[in-house]
Amino acid sequence: MNARKNMKKKLPQLCTLHTPFETHFSCDWNMYPRPQMRRDAWLSLNGSWKLSVLAGGAETDLGTITVPFPPESRLSGIGRAPEKGEKYIYRRSFTLSADMVRARVLLHFGAVDQIAAVSVNGSPAGTHEGGYLPFTMDVTDAVWNGENTVTVTVTDELDHDFPWGKQRKKRGGMWYTPISGIWQTVWLESVPENCIRTLRLTPSLTGVTVETVGGNPQKTLILEGKSYTYTGDSFTLQVENPHLWTPEDPYLYNFTLTDGTDRIESYFALRTVTVQECGGVPRLCLNGKPYFFHGLLDQGYFPDGIYTPASPDGYLSDILTAKRLGFNMLRKHIKIEPDLFYYFCDVHGMVVFQDMVNSGGYSFLADTALPTVGVKRGIRHRASPKRRAIFENSLRETTELLYNHPCVCYYTVFNEGWGQYDADRLYGEMKKTDPTRIWDSTSGWFTERDSDVQSEHVYFRKIRLKIGKRPLVLSEFGGYSCRIEGHCFNLDDNYGYRLCADPAELEKALIALYTEEVLPAVRDGLSAAVLTQLSDVEDETNGLLTYDRCVVKVREENMRAVAEKLCEAGK
């Protein structure tokens, strides 16, 4: 995102916002964390942990932290960021129940930022690097009957060789409060000795291919009361009277997969997303038909938990509010969420355009100022061998993580040049890895040769776009700022693109923007548009919702009327 801000010399006054999630929802993250691969023997390790800080060889007790909230957040109970050279040490005790005592015990982490070293009862379990992706450790040989202790030592220097997103130690403007440590669910799972380790679901418009790794050779799939027994690691099921998934009708097929000793509950949807020429214009198509993806930029920040809402209901509330306003798509911006976010999008029919998380440095001149005035070619970034290896591994792991979610229809590799390198090569490799999705290799500018779409960002000028040989996607635009007193994070500074005095002015400006500039482009062949943004984030007040989610700045009926015109034109 690019933006302007009102500069002030004095330090800003920051307000502690009170969010509705605290009053309407409990801070409960004990929902089953992986609905697409559900087993019955599991134990949540969220809740109270002991936290200490290690610096200069000395360990200092910080008290009790509430997991999965990062220690910088208010909901964690800590409200502290690590100093340079410090490490956080988490400790938690647990006891396995009788139904958990099976052949193997797996310890799962949703995400820990940035480097985690794990031990159980003093025995090293392993390490993991990178702050956005889940990891699993087999701790069978380390646990025992009775009380066990898990210890997690976290190092986070905000190393830009790793994906880092919008975090910056000196937050402000379009950069936000950094987080560290555990920020997604921690849980234990008990599995058979020869368990199904991975499940891969590839849908078509008439059926689904189920692929597994691990487990016994003979498996049985149960769908709608019918059993299908097969041998091997792959099975294609043709569905009678197929019911397709769309945002308007997000139909899911629930099924059970067993192999004699292992039992998994899961779901799939029948849907495709493709590029097709319609009426002489290249378009994005959902289930073989032109479809207009009417979206919002969604950064996934919350004032009380920063990266983590008070409960999963925080994600659900955002998704349903966007639906009520007429939107059918969220562009998840430079952040990977817990599995429950994508599950809610699957269930409620919200398409996700997923960004990869950027690594590498950022240059205001090269990555923002010059492209804004039209210099969109010829600028190159360098990537060290270490950063290349980390980023490309993250690309592959992200696509594996989200492969089974029908809501995920589109990936962005690089956003506005941040950390961009070898975009054509990475497009080719990732398109082979997952050909079922749309791949936007360079969102905004610095376009190279290969991409599925023509992806444009338009701020500070009229939207005038030309249809080329690829589907046209307006992947960022708008960003109109409306500050709501009493619901602002920064009491001094305001950051946005065009200032609106009140919600009435904001709504009028947005309706004019859509009807006068976006709607004609849709009629000409525009396939998707992403308005900046779903909610305010810290200094930014260009959301349709305030940062605390207490105020919706626009009226549902008026935004839905605009959405209906756009989506009808997109057909």
Side-chain angles (χ1 to χ4, degrees):
M1 294 168 56
N2 305 316
R4 297 169 177 168
K5 71 173 181 178
N6 300 322
M7 301 296 294
K8 291 183 180 290
K9 293 183 179 180
K10 64 180 182 178
L11 294 175
Q13 299 181 53
L14 301 183
C15 174
T16 300
L17 295 174
H18 184 77
T19 78
F21 304 134
E22 287 186 275
T23 53
H24 298 305
F25 308 121
S26 64
C27 297
D28 184 3
W29 270 94
N30 292 322
M31 289 181 64
Y32 190 84
R34 194 186 57 197
Q36 277 206 329
M37 200 169 172
R38 180 188 295 269
R39 292 187 175 97
D40 60 355
W42 73 288
L43 174 67
S44 172
L45 295 185
N46 291 334
S48 296
W49 290 58
K50 295 296 183 182
L51 184 69
S52 62
V53 61
L54 180 65
E59 187 174 338
T60 303
D61 181 26
L62 295 180
T64 300
I65 185 170
T66 302
V67 169
F69 305 110
E72 292 82 356
S73 71
R74 183 160 53 90
L75 290 178
S76 73
I78 299 297
R80 179 191 187 278
E83 302 279 343
K84 185 175 179 60
E86 291 183 343
K87 299 177 185 289
Y88 278 141
I89 302 178
Y90 291 75
R91 291 183 177 90
R92 155 87 192 236
S93 296
F94 65 90
T95 301
L96 296 178
S97 60
D99 66 336
M100 287 286 292
V101 183
R102 297 182 181 177
R104 310 304 300 176
V105 178
L106 306 179
L107 176 59
H108 300 281
F109 292 85
V112 182
D113 196 16
Q114 279 183 307
I115 301 172
V118 182
S119 66
V120 176
N121 296 326
S123 298
T127 61
H128 181 267
E129 297 183 343
Y132 290 87
L133 291 167
F135 57 97
T136 299
M137 295 173 176
D138 188 326
V139 297
T140 307
D141 296 335
V143 297
W144 50 55
N145 291 331
E147 188 174 81
N148 298 267
T149 300
V150 57
T151 303
V152 184
T153 302
V154 178
T155 304
D156 186 2
E157 299 288 351
L158 203 55
D159 183 348
H160 285 193
D161 278 336
F162 294 99
W164 55 279
K166 302 292 288 289
Q167 305 178 67
R168 180 170 284 183
K169 291 181 180 180
K170 293 183 179 180
R171 59 147 303 281
M174 69 180 206
W175 305 106
Y176 314 137
T177 301
I179 64 102
S180 60
I182 300 171
W183 68 274
Q184 290 188 27
T185 290
V186 185
W187 57 295
L188 287 160
E189 181 182 35
S190 184
V191 300
E193 183 70 38
N194 189 20
C195 68
I196 296 172
R197 297 193 299 275
T198 64
L199 175 67
R200 184 179 176 92
L201 306 170
T202 304
S204 68
L205 298 183
T206 58
V208 64
T209 297
V210 180
E211 298 173 277
T212 55
V213 174
N216 295 313
Q218 184 169 295
K219 300 175 180 66
T220 299
L221 188 151
I222 303 172
L223 174 69
E224 297 179 336
K226 295 183 179 180
S227 296
Y228 305 85
T229 299
Y230 65 96
T231 301
D233 297 326
S234 180
F235 174 65
T236 298
L237 173 67
Q238 296 299 316
V239 177
E240 296 179 10
N241 303 314
H243 192 156
L244 304 185
W245 185 97
T246 66
E248 296 73 30
D249 182 15
Y251 189 84
L252 300 177
Y253 288 88
N254 296 298
F255 71 93
T256 301
L257 185 64
T258 64
D259 73 348
T261 58
D262 201 4
R263 182 180 186 276
I264 292 171
E265 294 178 9
S266 187
Y267 65 89
F268 66 86
L270 303 181
R271 73 102 185 88
T272 60
V273 55
T274 53
V275 172
Q276 295 176 211
E277 188 171 296
C278 305
V281 177
R283 294 180 184 267
L284 298 183
C285 294
L286 183 65
N287 300 332
K289 299 178 180 179
Y291 189 88
F292 183 70
F293 295 92
H294 179 40
L296 288 168
L297 198 73
D298 177 12
Q299 311 223 41
Y301 277 75
F302 302 85
D304 48 5
I306 308 178
Y307 259 31
T308 313
S311 82
D313 291 301
Y315 292 123
L316 181 58
S317 178
D318 277 0
I319 293 163
L320 295 181
T321 300
K323 291 276 288 188
R324 288 195 298 271
L325 293 172
F327 294 92
N328 56 36
M329 176 262 285
L330 295 173
R331 179 184 172 190
K332 180 52 66 173
H333 194 43
I334 329 183
K335 183 171 182 263
I336 300 167
E337 299 291 10
D339 196 69
L340 285 169
F341 168 81
Y342 304 97
Y343 167 71
F344 291 144
C345 290
D346 291 340
V347 170
H348 295 283
M350 181 61 74
V351 169
V352 175
F353 282 20
Q354 177 67 50
D355 287 5
M356 298 299 172
V357 184
N358 61 285
S359 63
Y362 165 81
S363 165
F364 173 76
L365 176 65
D367 294 329
T368 296
L370 291 177
T372 299
V373 298
V375 180
K376 298 184 179 182
R377 294 184 182 275
I379 296 175
R380 294 289 183 269
H381 292 278
R382 292 182 178 180
S384 67
K386 177 183 176 183
R387 184 164 79 84
R388 287 170 180 258
I390 293 171
F391 182 73
E392 292 172 33
N393 185 61
S394 179
L395 278 177
R396 290 186 291 269
E397 287 192 22
T398 300
T399 57
E400 291 170 6
L401 175 68
L402 302 180
Y403 188 85
N404 293 340
H405 286 286
C407 68
V408 179
C409 294
Y410 182 114
Y411 284 116
T412 295
V413 181
F414 294 112
N415 178 71
E416 295 186 350
W418 300 358
Q420 181 176 326
Y421 72 94
D422 290 359
D424 285 346
R425 175 177 65 83
L426 294 178
Y427 165 81
E429 292 178 6
M430 299 316 298
K431 190 66 178 180
K432 290 179 181 177
T433 299
D434 185 356
T436 70
R437 264 86 179 194
I438 302 301
W439 284 90
D440 179 354
S441 57
T442 53
S443 178
W445 37 71
F446 302 144
T447 303
E448 296 188 16
R449 184 183 66 250
D450 296 331
S451 182
D452 286 335
V453 296
Q454 176 187 340
S455 181
E456 303 284 351
H457 292 185
V458 178
Y459 294 120
F460 316 123
R461 62 178 175 83
K462 293 284 187 181
I463 298 173
R464 295 189 180 94
L465 303 170
K466 293 182 179 180
I467 303 295
K469 296 180 180 180
R470 301 179 182 129
L472 179 59
V473 173
L474 183 58
S475 43
E476 287 185 32
F477 76 103
Y480 294 175
S481 171
C482 179
R483 181 183 176 92
I484 307 296
E485 294 300 325
H487 301 277
C488 304
F489 177 84
N490 192 331
L491 301 180
D492 290 337
D493 280 351
N494 191 46
Y495 192 92
Y497 309 93
R498 165 182 166 179
L499 299 180
C500 298
D502 52 42
E505 183 180 333
L506 172 67
E507 184 179 281
K508 181 179 179 181
L510 287 175
I511 291 174
L513 178 63
Y514 273 114
T515 57
E516 296 172 14
E517 299 181 39
V518 179
L519 184 57
V522 177
R523 290 172 177 150
D524 289 340
L526 181 66
S527 285
V530 180
L531 178 72
T532 302
Q533 61 184 328
L534 173 61
S535 75
D536 296 347
V537 183
E538 298 196 354
D539 294 4
E540 293 183 348
T541 57
N542 48 16
L544 298 186
L545 314 178
T546 54
Y547 193 25
D548 59 10
R549 308 319 199 263
C550 289
V551 178
V552 181
K553 303 177 190 177
V554 291
R555 289 172 290 183
E556 288 182 19
E557 60 272 22
N558 292 344
M559 296 305 294
R560 289 192 67 86
V562 170
E564 289 170 3
K565 292 178 182 178
L566 293 169
C567 293
E568 184 62 31
K571 296 178 182 178

